[in-house]
């Protein structure tokens, strides 16, 4: 109560200054303090940016926190100095009022930033942090100015009825603020759990991902269910919206719901893992992400494909690294019919052993596949243990070695040949000459 009386007195003193020329000096000093704080903040942040990233996590945290509170702290220091100077010549009630506003602004921004660091990195958390900090500071500012009771009364006068319960605009704002606060706590707890799971031994990556996502979803649901009854909102009034949402899921969001369910099935049965080389349909690549709606495949060309999880559940997926990373790479080569096949096959095996990615077990082997129109078809099979690195380099190297050895030993790699024969009788040829002459 004493604090409210003090703030009310401060507000009355500021109102009295509005009728005095001293207010212009205070406004000018306040504007100068804010401008000077902004300029110094820009210069310091640019200097920090030129120095590059911090070496440790603690230094990065300090720099990020400094960005949040640097402006209000600098402005607060300059306001203190300006107030000390002007207080010798006039009243400084406006500057007295600016001190608690700037102090609360800096404190709220730093507290919200600290909570956000515990939650983790996300693209939407930056906007969420700014909105929540601004709303919290607005409430504190209204309280300091003494206008909060009037604002609350005005918001409570705006009410409407949902089902059997009457809700006011103030109740909804309270509910929104409390939901945001409980969501921050839930996300912070989820971030702490995620850090514990990331260092837990004996957990598969897929199982770790499932536990983190399920825990985060449960914490968010609990946060909302706890926050709404605390402000007097009956959860049964949300049954209408729940029914509408169920109808929407049943008709318009069938594919999305199926993809989410399929994503959890993939993560739980561990049929796919991050790092697996798979082929589904016309897509082939390494699994880099398994999200609840889609899975990301990165091809050897660098192109990333987003494959819906429902497709992975309902289609045949070739997983080249599911239980064994070793795969066979066939290389087809043709030689002429005059070739010593046993020597050619020996050269193929020797050429395969010159590449470091070809493993010794199973050993490279050469086979006679077929007798073609232009030559004899041979096939060399080699095994590699890292298919995610691609096979084109292995095939190119072995083909080059085979070509060099074949040239050195005179083994011919044939090209298509055609033999055309014209069969006719001498009488027919003479008659053709006579007909041609008659035509001329």
């Amino acid at each position: 109560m004493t604090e409210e009386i003090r703030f009310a007195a401060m507000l009355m003193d500021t109102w009295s200054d509005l009728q005095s020329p001293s207010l212009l000096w205070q406004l000018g000093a306040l504007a100068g303090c804010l401008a000077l704080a902004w300029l110094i903040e820009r210069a310091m942040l640019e200097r920090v940016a030129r120095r590059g990233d911090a070496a440790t996590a603690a230094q990065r945290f300090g720099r990020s926190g400094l960005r949040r509170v640097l402006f209000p702290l600098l402005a607060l220091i300059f306001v203190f100095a300006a107030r000390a100077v002007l207080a010798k010549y006039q009243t400084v009630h406006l500057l007295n009022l600016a001190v608690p506003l700037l102090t609360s602004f800096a404190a709220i921004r730093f507290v919200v930033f600290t909570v956000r660091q515990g939650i983790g990195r996300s693209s939407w958390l930056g906007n969420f942090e700014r909105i929540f900090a601004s709303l919290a500071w607005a409430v504190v500012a209204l309280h300091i100015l003494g206008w909060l009771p009037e604002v609350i009364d005005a918001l409570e006068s705006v009410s409407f009825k949902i089902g059997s319960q009457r809700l006011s605009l103030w109740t909804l704002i309270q509910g929104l603020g409390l939901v945001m606060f409980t969501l921050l706590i839930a996300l912070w707890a989820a971030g702490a759990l995620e850090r514990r799971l990331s260092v837990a031994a004996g957990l598969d990556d897929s199982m770790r991902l499932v536990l983190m996502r399920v825990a985060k979803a449960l914490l968010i649901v609990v946060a909302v269910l706890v926050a709404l009854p605390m402000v007097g909102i009956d959860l049964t009034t949300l049954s209408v919206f729940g029914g509408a949402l169920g109808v929407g899921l049943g008709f318009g969001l069938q594919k999305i719901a199926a993809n989410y369910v399929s994503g959890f099935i993939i993560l739980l049965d561990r049929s796919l893992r991050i790092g697996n080389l798979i082929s589904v349909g016309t897509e082939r690549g390494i699994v880099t992400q398994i999200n609840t709606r889609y899975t990301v495949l990165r091809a050897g060309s660098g192109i990333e494909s987003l494959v819906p999880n429902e497709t992975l559940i309902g289609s045949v997926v070739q997983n080249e690294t599911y239980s064994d990373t070793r795969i066979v790479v066939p290389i087809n080569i043709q030689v002429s019919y005059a070739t010593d096949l046993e020597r050619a096959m020996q050269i193929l095996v020797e050429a395969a052993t010159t590449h470091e990615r070809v493993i010794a077990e199973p050993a490279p082997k050469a086979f006679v596949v077929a007798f073609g129109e232009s030559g004899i078809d041979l096939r060399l099979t080699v095994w590699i243990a890292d298919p995610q690195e691609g096979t084109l380099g292995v095939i190119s190297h072995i083909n080059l070695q085979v070509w060099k050895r074949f040239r050195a030993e005179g083994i011919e790699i044939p090209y298509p040949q055609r033999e055309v024969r014209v069969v006719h009788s001498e009488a027919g040829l003479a008659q053709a000459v006579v007909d041609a002459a008659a035509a001329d």
Side-chain angles (χ1 to χ4, degrees), residues 194-208:
E194 181 177 352
R195 288 189 295 272
R196 293 291 299 273
L197 290 175
S198 62
V199 297
L203 273 181
D204 184 78
D205 290 339
S206 299
M207 183 58 63
R208 184 181 290 112

Side-chain angles (χ1 to χ4, degrees), residues 23 44 75 110 218 221 254 258 310 319 325 397 402 412:
L23 179 65
M44 293 183 67
F110 186 75
L218 289 177
V221 171
Q254 290 182 3
E310 185 185 15
N319 193 336
T325 59
H397 175 85
V402 170
E412 180 185 357

Side-chain angles (χ1 to χ4, degrees), residues 45 51 152 176 340 424 436:
L45 291 181
R51 292 178 60 183
I152 292 175
L176 178 62
D340 182 355
H424 54 78

Side-chain angles (χ1 to χ4, degrees), residues 273-337:
R273 296 181 177 89
I274 294 176
N276 284 162
L277 178 61
I278 68 170
S279 299
V280 52
T282 59
E283 307 298 333
R284 180 177 183 270
I286 299 173
V287 179
T288 58
Q289 296 180 37
I290 303 177
N291 298 311
T292 50
R293 190 178 64 85
Y294 59 87
T295 296
V296 181
L297 301 184
R298 183 177 180 84
S301 60
I303 300 176
E304 292 183 325
S305 302
L306 307 182
V307 182
N309 290 328
E310 185 185 15
T311 302
L312 297 175
I313 292 295
S315 304
V316 176
V317 178
Q318 294 182 349
N319 193 336
E320 300 179 22
T321 55
Y322 178 65
S323 59
D324 191 352
T325 59
R326 298 177 301 173
I327 65 168
V328 65
V329 179
I331 302 175
N332 297 318
I333 296 174
Q334 192 176 69
V335 296
S336 67
Y337 277 96

Side-chain angles (χ1 to χ4, degrees), residues 181-305:
F181 178 73
T182 53
L183 280 179
L184 278 177
I185 296 177
L187 292 175
W188 174 83
L193 180 60
E194 181 177 352
R195 288 189 295 272
R196 293 291 299 273
L197 290 175
S198 62
V199 297
L203 273 181
D204 184 78
D205 290 339
S206 299
M207 183 58 63
R208 184 181 290 112
L209 192 60
V210 170
L211 292 177
M212 289 189 299
R213 289 179 177 172
V214 171
K216 181 178 289 187
L218 289 177
L219 287 171
I220 290 175
V221 171
V222 170
V224 174
L225 294 179
V226 169
L228 293 181
M230 291 178 65
V231 294
I233 298 179
D234 189 2
L235 294 179
T236 57
T237 59
L238 302 178
S239 58
V240 177
F241 300 102
L245 181 62
V247 173
L249 288 174
F251 289 96
L253 304 177
Q254 290 182 3
K255 291 293 184 181
I256 296 177
N259 285 324
Y260 275 95
V261 174
S262 300
F264 278 104
I265 292 175
I266 292 173
L267 292 171
L268 287 173
D269 65 10
R270 293 183 289 179
S271 56
L272 296 180
R273 296 181 177 89
I274 294 176
N276 284 162
L277 178 61
I278 68 170
S279 299
V280 52
T282 59
E283 307 298 333
R284 180 177 183 270
I286 299 173
V287 179
T288 58
Q289 296 180 37
I290 303 177
N291 298 311
T292 50
R293 190 178 64 85
Y294 59 87
T295 296
V296 181
L297 301 184
R298 183 177 180 84
S301 60
I303 300 176
E304 292 183 325
S305 302

Side-chain angles (χ1 to χ4, degrees), residues 8-126:
M10 185 185 303
L11 191 61
M12 293 301 297
D13 292 338
T14 305
W15 175 255
S16 65
D17 284 348
L18 292 175
Q19 305 174 7
S20 172
S22 62
L23 179 65
L24 296 177
W25 287 100
Q26 296 182 69
L27 287 175
L30 183 59
C33 292
L34 296 178
L36 186 60
W38 183 80
L39 291 174
I40 294 178
E41 180 200 29
R42 294 295 96 191
M44 293 183 67
L45 291 181
E46 289 177 1
R47 183 177 179 181
V48 170
R50 285 194 297 269
R51 292 178 60 183
D53 293 336
T56 63
Q59 290 176 337
R60 289 194 297 269
F61 175 80
R63 289 183 181 181
S64 300
L66 186 63
R67 292 188 183 96
R68 302 302 194 281
V69 300
L70 185 58
F71 171 73
L73 286 181
L74 288 174
L76 186 62
I77 293 173
F78 294 144
V79 167
F80 271 120
R83 186 178 66 172
V85 173
L86 290 179
K88 298 178 180 180
Y89 308 102
Q90 63 177 48
T91 57
V92 287
H93 300 306
L94 179 61
L95 298 180
N96 290 335
L97 191 61
V99 169
L101 292 176
L102 290 173
T103 303
S104 60
F105 181 61
I108 290 173
R109 291 199 67 178
F110 186 75
V111 169
V112 176
F113 166 74
T114 304
V115 174
R116 178 193 168 187
Q117 294 304 306
I119 294 173
R121 295 181 177 272
S122 183
S123 57
W124 59 271
L125 276 178

Side-chain angles (χ1 to χ4, degrees), residues 339-394:
T339 302
D340 182 355
L341 293 183
E342 293 182 350
R343 179 57 181 161
M345 295 168 65
Q346 182 182 358
I347 292 174
L348 293 180
V349 174
E350 292 174 356
T353 59
T354 61
H355 198 280
E356 64 275 4
R357 289 180 57 194
V358 175
I359 61 178
E361 185 61 35
K365 294 181 180 180
F367 303 91
V368 178
V369 178
F371 298 98
E373 295 182 358
S374 303
I376 301 176
D377 297 328
L378 304 180
R379 177 175 299 171
L380 173 67
T381 58
V382 298
W383 289 79
I384 60 175
D386 50 356
Q388 66 275 7
E389 300 296 330
T391 58
L392 187 59
V394 177

